Amino acid sequence: MSEPIKTLPLVFDEPRGRKKPPRHLADLTSPERKALLEEQGLPGFRAKQLSMHYFGRLVDDPEQMTDLPAAQRAELVEALLPTLMTPLRTMEADKGTTRKTLWKLFDGALVESVLMRYPDRATVCVSSQAGCGMACPFCATGQGGLQRNMSTAEIVEQVVAGARSMTRGEVPGGPGRVSNVVFMGMGEPLANYKAVIGAVRRLVDPSPDGLGMSARGITVSTVGLVNRIDQLTEEGIPVTLALSLHAPDDELRNELVPINTRWSVAETVEAAWNYARVTKRRVSIEYAMMRGINDQAHRADLLGDLLRSYGDWGWVHVNLIPLNEVPGSQFTRSSDEDTDEFVRRLEAKGVPTTIRDTRGSEIDAACGQLAATEA
Ligand code: SF4
């Protein structure tokens, strides 16, 4: 590498004393929703109707909640369906089938989500934190640090908003539904573990308690918080785990993904392998291809050998990501030739490898970039 990589300090904890986001029914289990209404002197059975509007019918206009008594409607909506975020800007690409929304949260924090419609599925990419404390030097979000963790409901709301757009036929291809959710927007999902697991539960809870999605359609990504990967392994929800590895050796990964100074490549990959072993879900290794940094042929061989050392029972595949370049950054995208050679070498070692389709790259649809521009 020509010049040394500048790294920022890792930040795990958000600043203290912040006001909490409004409490919303998506933060709560079904019995908790009922109890909350009763505490406020409202009829508990209305919680189910509100849940049906939110998760089942995807209604957001109180006027349409005609099964609620008009005199109590405002109070009920305020108790369980407060406004969590407002869209500041929506950008479209790929003939309208990619829609990226910049959201303003109640305290002014900015996050983004992306809805991507494919012929056979529709995926929402959600943010889990405003900013990120993991300080990866090639990433726009990492440069701004962590502002705060998002609440369960703030995470879920991004998916519900995407689901509304799909059912209302706002995305070319006619009305449809959201089939997949990937936690690959702003933030390190496992650094906001409790809220993220809460959101996953709301996504898979059957309607009207949740959105009734299949856990198999949900992907949680991480840069490698090993203790949290172990916890997720025990959780018993078969989501797909995506490990953002980006380098197969500690020397380089310590610089590209500073959390590696806490948990080494070997410890991180072992935790991912164990996740695959216990859950029987194939793990995805994410690898952003950076020209002259991590894209050399010897690193492809090293990565292939590392992954194969855990066996060839199909526990893993590699997803190479053409880097979304940050203006002014020393990190640039690898050439197509180097990327193809990387694929060839991994496949020669028997590791299935794909190159990620860079949906919406003309609208900065990579983690953190739109919010960073706005801020
Ligand atoms: S790459 Fe992901 S984990 Fe690293 S700083 Fe960016 S958002 Fe955070």
Side-chain angles (χ1 to χ4, degrees), residues 132 134-136 138-139 141-142 185 187-188 223 367:
C132 181
M134 294 295 113
C136 306
F138 58 87
C139 162
T141 305
E188 160 53 44
V223 280
C367 83

Side-chain angles (χ1 to χ4, degrees), residues 101 119 263 334 337:
T101 307
W263 287 288
S334 299
E337 296 73 46

Side-chain angles (χ1 to χ4, degrees), residues 165-211:
S165 295
M166 287 295 291
T167 52
R168 292 174 188 173
E170 291 167 9
V171 184
R177 47 185 289 278
V178 169
S179 53
N180 297 71
V181 173
V182 295
F183 286 77
M184 292 186 176
M186 292 174 81
E188 160 53 44
L190 297 190
N192 184 16
Y193 190 86
K194 203 165 160 238
V196 165
I197 290 300
V200 169
R201 292 198 188 283
R202 284 309 97 70
L203 300 181
V204 302
D205 281 345
S207 177
D209 293 340
L211 275 176

Side-chain angles (χ1 to χ4, degrees), residues 190 222 224-233 241 243 271-272 275:
L190 297 190
T222 180
L225 275 60
V226 167
N227 57 344
R228 296 302 192 190
I229 297 175
D230 291 345
Q231 200 173 343
L232 187 65
T233 307
L241 179 71
L243 171 63
Y275 184 86

